[in-house]
Amino acid sequence: MATVFKQQKTKRDKAEGIVANDAEEKAIFKNKQRVLLLSSRGITFRHRHLLSDLGNLLPHTKKDAKLDSKSKLHIINELADLNNCNNCIFFEVRKRQDLYMWVSKTPNGPSMKFHIQNIHTMEELKMTGNCLKGSRHILSFDKNFESSPHWMLMKELFTQVFGIPKTSRRIKPFIDHVISFSIVDNRVWFRNYQITQKPVEHRSATDTTDLTLVEIGPRFVMNPIRTFDGSFGGQTAFENPEFVSPNVARAKVRNAKAGRYKDRMEALAKRDQKMKDAVLPDDPLSEKNVFA
Amino acid sequence: MSDSDSEQEQRLTLEDLEYSDAEMLSGDEDDPMDIFTTQKVTINNEPALKRLHDQIALPTDIPWSETQSITSTQPVSVADPDDDLNREVAFYNQALEAAVLGRERIRKEGGVFERPGDYFAEMIKSDEHMAKIRQKLLDENASIQASERAKAQRELKKFGKKVQTEKRLEREKAKAEALEKINVLKKKRQGNDSSANADDEFDVALASDDEEMRAYKTTGRNGNKGKKRSASSTPESRGKRLKKDQKFGFGGKKRHAKSNTADSSADVSAFNVKRNKSTSFKAGHKATKTAAKKRPGKARRQSGGGRK
C-alpha cells in the first residue's frame, strides 16, 4: 500500500513539477545509541548495585552476562555487535576491591579507562529524590571540558553514552532529572539530581529560579587513566600522569610500615657495631698495666 | 654489539641527564648499579585526540533535544576538593543552571518540560523505598525534638526547686493574712452586735479596710496603746536572746569574763579624785547611791533586761 501511495504521489508531483526529495528525507540524522552493560567476574555488591542503577537510569542500555576473561577484552566488541549495541560500559573489578570502568564506542571507536572511587548507590537513604524510570535527562557539563582535547573527547563520549536518544524504546515523555559531570582535582564527578518546582509560597529571597534540585543518586568519581585509539585496545592517545594505581598506593603504605621496622633494626645493628668499635686503647698507667 | 648499542640508545644514561636530575632520579645512593634510569614519558597525543573526536562526533546541525546537553557558562572551581560542602554546592549550582537553561530551550523547541501532577508511571525508586526514606526523615526529626525536650526539662528542673519554694512561701503568707483578717472580723463582730445574723457574716468582704488592719497591728493584740509594735525585731528587742547566745552560744570567753586581769586591775578610770578627797562624813554631802544610776538586780541584769 505504501508503494502504491508513493507511485501516485510521484505521478502527481511530476505533474505539478515538484522534484522528489527522497535524498533530503534520508539525510535526516537519527541519533541511534545502544549501550551494552557488562561486568567482569568477582564483582562486589556495591559495584553490582551501581551497574544496575546505571541500567535503570539509561533506558537505551542492555545488560549482559559476566565476562570471564580480564585479558582478552576484544571479545566484548563481538558481544556488542551481537546485541546491536554501538557503545559499551564495562566494569572491570580487580582483587574484589578496585573498580575500573571502560567506556567505549564499539567496534572501532575510541575507548577510555577510568578508576571509580567514592561510590554511593541510589539505595542510600540520604538520597531522597526520585524520577520517572526512563525519562530523558538533561546532561550538564562543566566548562572545563572544553579546555583540553582529551576532555573534549571525553565529553563527546559521555554525550553519546549517557545521553538518551529519542529513538530509544523505553523512554518516558517528561524531563525530571539532570545528570551533571564536573571536573575537580583532575577527576570527573558524577551527580544525578531530580528537578522539582517550588511553589511560590516556599520561595525565599535568595532564590533566582523556581526550580530546586534533590539528589537521586548514584554518585561516583571517575579518575581517567588512559584513552585508547581502538575499542578495548589499540594505541594510547592519552595517559593521565597524575594517576596512581591503587595497588601502588597500598604498597606504599605497607612499605612505609615495613620501613619503620627496618629502620629500627638497622639503627640497633649500627649501635651494636659502634659499641664494639668504641673501645678505648690501653692506658699504660692503668692498674692492670702497673700491677701486672 | 649492535644490540647493546640500541639498548644504550633507549635508556638515558647519566651523561645525558643534567647533574641535578641525575641526583633526583638516581634513588638509592648506596647502590652504584642504579645509575641507569628510564624517564617516564606520558602520552598526550593531541592531534590523534582531535581526530578521534571528529571521527565520533554527532553532526552539529541536529536539534538540541536530540542530546539535551548543556555546558555550564562558568567553569567549576573548588579551592579544596576535600571540602565537601563547598564542592557539593558548586555541583548543585552547575546542575541548577543547566536545568534552567534546558527548560528554556525545551520550551523554545516546543517540548514539554514539567511532569503533570496526575501522571503516574513507574519510578526509578520503588514506593517501598520512598516510604523507608520518609520514615527515616521522620525518625530523625522525632529524635531531635525528643532531645530538645529533654534538654528543656533538665533546665526547668534546676529552676523548678527555686520556684517551688517561692510559691510555698507565698501561699503560707497568703494563708496567714487570711487568718488574721478572719480574726479581725471576729473581734469586730463581738464588739458590734450579738445577734447571730448568718447572712451578714458572709456579706462582708474580708479584703476591705486596710486601714483597720494597720491600726490593729499597731495597737497590738493586748490593747497596748502607744507602743509601736514593728513586725521585724530590733537589736534592743532581742536583748534576752543575745544574752542567752552570749552565755550559752559558741565561741568567745565566758568563764572568767568578770574576773580581774592585769589590765582591769590597773584600770583606775572609775576613780574620781574630787570625790575621793571630798567624801567624808561632812554635812551637806549626798549619799553615793544617787551618784551612780540605780542598777537593776542580778537576775534582771543576766537576763538581758527585757524590752525597753
Side-chain angles (χ1 to χ4, degrees):
Chain A
M1 254 176 66
T3 42
V4 170
F5 170 72
K6 242 194 168 167
Q7 274 177 354
Q8 297 291 340
K9 185 167 175 278
T10 46
K11 249 194 222 163
R12 189 192 53 184
D13 281 350
K14 257 193 188 150
E16 295 182 25
I18 296 170
V19 180
N21 291 344
D22 282 332
E24 222 181 273
E25 281 169 2
K26 278 188 189 138
I28 290 175
F29 178 82
K30 283 207 165 93
N31 184 19
K32 289 194 173 165
Q33 311 283 351
R34 267 176 65 104
V35 181
L36 183 71
L37 281 180
L38 272 192
S39 80
S40 68
R41 284 175 74 202
I43 193 167
T44 56
F45 63 95
R46 201 179 286 272
H47 307 149
R48 204 167 3 94
H49 277 112
L50 180 63
L51 197 64
S52 65
D53 285 347
L54 283 179
N56 284 335
L57 267 180
L58 311 171
H60 63 305
T61 52
K62 184 165 192 338
K63 268 198 79 174
D64 207 20
K66 287 186 203 167
L67 190 71
D68 254 351
S69 72
K70 287 196 185 120
S71 51
K72 298 202 219 66
L73 294 182
H74 55 86
I75 52 179
I76 298 181
N77 295 322
E78 279 128 34
L79 278 173
D81 198 29
L82 271 174
N83 286 300
N84 282 335
C85 294
N86 60 345
N87 296 310
C88 175
I89 295 181
F90 175 61
F91 275 23
E92 178 186 356
V93 187
R94 290 209 164 254
K95 288 190 173 180
R96 285 183 207 256
Q97 276 178 309
D98 315 317
L99 177 63
Y100 297 98
M101 177 167 92
W102 290 82
V103 180
S104 143
K105 285 209 74 75
T106 58
N108 3 329
S111 52
M112 297 189 129
K113 185 176 180 190
F114 302 94
H115 175 51
I116 309 282
Q117 292 164 307
N118 293 5
I119 300 170
H120 295 267
T121 57
M122 275 200 306
E123 284 269 313
E124 299 200 357
L125 292 178
K126 295 239 173 187
M127 317 235 192
T128 49
N130 202 356
C131 67
L132 281 175
K133 185 168 179 176
S135 62
R136 295 183 68 226
H137 45 250
I138 297 178
L139 282 170
S140 162
F141 287 103
D142 187 7
K143 192 148 173 114
N144 289 324
F145 272 104
E146 294 177 355
S147 55
S148 309
H150 67 98
W151 291 126
M152 282 174 66
L153 180 63
M154 202 185 291
K155 176 182 170 182
E156 190 59 40
L157 203 59
F158 285 163
T159 316
Q160 296 186 15
V161 170
F162 287 101
I164 305 174
K166 270 188 175 166
T167 56
S168 172
R169 286 218 182 113
R170 292 185 282 160
I171 57 171
K172 298 255 168 45
F174 308 103
I175 297 177
D176 45 353
H177 62 130
V178 54
I179 289 185
S180 83
F181 296 91
S182 321
I183 299 181
V184 170
D185 191 25
N186 223 2
R187 292 173 164 86
V188 182
W189 301 67
F190 175 98
R191 294 285 183 273
N192 179 14
Y193 299 99
Q194 173 194 8
I195 305 173
T196 47
Q197 274 182 315
K198 249 198 282 190
V200 188
E201 51 270 13
H202 288 166
R203 287 185 65 181
S204 64
T206 53
D207 288 342
T208 49
T209 165
D210 61 334
L211 298 176
T212 45
L213 303 178
V214 185
E215 185 150 9
I216 308 170
R219 55 151 82 166
F220 51 90
V221 179
M222 297 184 261
N223 197 357
I225 305 174
R226 270 178 197 252
T227 304
F228 297 100
D229 206 358
S231 170
F232 295 101
Q235 263 205 332
T236 308
F238 169 75
E239 187 184 339
N240 185 5
E242 293 177 15
F243 175 69
V244 172
S245 151
N247 280 332
V248 169
R250 285 191 285 259
K252 259 195 205 156
V253 171
R254 249 181 293 134
N255 281 338
K257 267 198 193 165
R260 284 199 283 275
Y261 176 76
K262 195 172 90 146
D263 290 340
R264 201 171 57 224
M265 289 294 120
E266 274 182 4
L268 279 174
K270 267 193 187 159
R271 188 171 180 277
D272 285 341
Q273 189 61 35
K274 192 168 118 182
M275 298 304 272
K276 265 194 221 159
D277 291 339
V279 178
L280 280 176
D282 250 359
D283 191 10
L285 295 177
S286 69
E287 265 192 33
K288 196 171 68 152
N289 288 337
V290 171
F291 301 104
Chain B
M1 275 301 276
S2 55
D3 279 4
S4 64
D5 278 344
S6 61
E7 253 185 53
Q8 287 235 315
E9 269 173 55
Q10 278 168 13
R11 282 198 272 168
L12 299 164
T13 60
L14 242 172
E15 289 83 11
D16 296 340
L17 299 168
E18 283 191 290
Y19 181 66
S20 55
D21 283 344
E23 275 213 332
M24 199 170 67
L25 293 171
S26 65
D28 211 353
E29 273 157 14
D30 301 336
D31 191 356
M33 297 303 289
D34 194 19
I35 50 174
F36 292 104
T37 54
T38 48
Q39 236 177 5
K40 190 179 180 199
V41 182
T42 56
I43 305 166
N44 190 358
N45 195 346
E46 297 201 359
L49 289 167
K50 286 205 178 82
R51 174 181 54 82
L52 288 167
H53 175 267
D54 297 332
Q55 189 184 324
I56 62 167
L58 297 168
T60 44
D61 54 353
I62 53 172
W64 178 80
S65 58
E66 290 281 339
T67 53
Q68 290 185 186
S69 100
I70 295 200
T71 311
S72 73
T73 47
Q74 300 295 324
V76 164
S77 61
V78 180
D80 179 19
D82 292 331
D83 179 10
D84 291 340
L85 189 63
N86 287 329
R87 195 189 64 216
E88 295 302 320
V89 165
F91 296 158
Y92 181 92
N93 288 332
Q94 180 202 328
L96 190 63
E97 185 198 12
V100 171
L101 290 173
R103 185 167 63 163
E104 271 176 44
R105 292 195 73 157
I106 294 269
R107 284 192 177 150
K108 222 192 315 184
E109 292 193 2
V112 190
F113 187 80
E114 289 104 19
R115 174 159 53 96
D118 55 354
Y119 184 88
F120 291 118
E122 190 184 358
M123 309 286 270
I124 272 194
K125 296 189 189 173
S126 66
D127 287 338
E128 296 93 33
H129 191 258
M130 296 311 285
K132 246 197 270 179
I133 291 174
R134 190 170 156 272
Q135 189 58 44
K136 181 162 181 280
L137 284 174
L138 286 175
D139 287 343
E140 234 181 273
N141 273 344
S143 73
I144 289 173
Q145 276 182 4
S147 72
E148 272 184 14
R149 241 182 282 130
K151 217 189 284 183
Q153 286 286 65
R154 276 198 298 271
E155 292 295 318
L156 215 66
K157 226 176 149 186
K158 278 188 199 168
F159 298 112
K161 196 75 181 178
K162 193 166 135 194
V163 167
Q164 187 186 46
T165 49
E166 275 180 29
K167 274 227 173 298
R168 186 169 57 84
L169 287 174
E170 234 182 84
R171 251 184 257 128
E172 283 180 1
K173 210 159 90 174
K175 190 168 151 192
E177 275 181 22
L179 280 174
E180 275 183 26
K181 279 177 183 155
I182 291 172
N183 281 341
V184 168
L185 281 172
K186 273 196 197 157
K187 287 280 171 187
K188 271 168 65 178
R189 287 269 148 238
Q190 281 178 6
N192 287 352
D193 58 1
S194 45
S195 63
N197 223 343
D199 307 302
D200 283 354
E201 281 179 1
F202 295 125
D203 283 347
V204 180
L206 284 176
S208 62
D209 291 328
D210 276 321
E211 252 182 287
E212 243 185 68
M213 278 304 301
R214 259 185 271 129
Y216 171 69
K217 277 191 175 171
T218 50
T219 54
R221 286 207 180 84
N222 300 323
N224 218 349
K225 292 176 190 162
K227 254 191 191 172
K228 189 180 175 192
R229 194 180 140 218
S230 60
S232 59
S233 56
T234 59
E236 297 97 347
S237 65
R238 276 187 280 127
K240 183 174 180 176
R241 179 74 264 161
L242 287 175
K243 278 278 179 175
K244 293 268 184 189
D245 278 348
Q246 263 187 333
K247 187 171 181 185
F248 300 112
F250 299 107
K253 234 159 78 155
K254 293 182 201 51
R255 270 179 203 277
H256 307 289
K258 295 226 173 179
S259 311
N260 278 336
T261 64
D263 301 329
S264 72
S265 310
D267 181 25
V268 285
S269 54
F271 178 74
N272 189 347
V273 177
K274 206 169 132 194
R275 259 184 61 185
N276 196 35
K277 290 231 151 102
S278 72
T279 306
S280 58
F281 289 105
K282 280 182 183 170
H285 96 272
K286 286 198 175 140
T288 48
K289 274 191 187 172
T290 55
K293 187 178 147 194
K294 185 167 183 170
R295 276 171 84 223
K298 177 177 179 179
R300 204 69 208 272
R301 270 181 290 143
Q302 282 196 334
S303 70
R307 298 173 203 263
K308 290 199 180 135

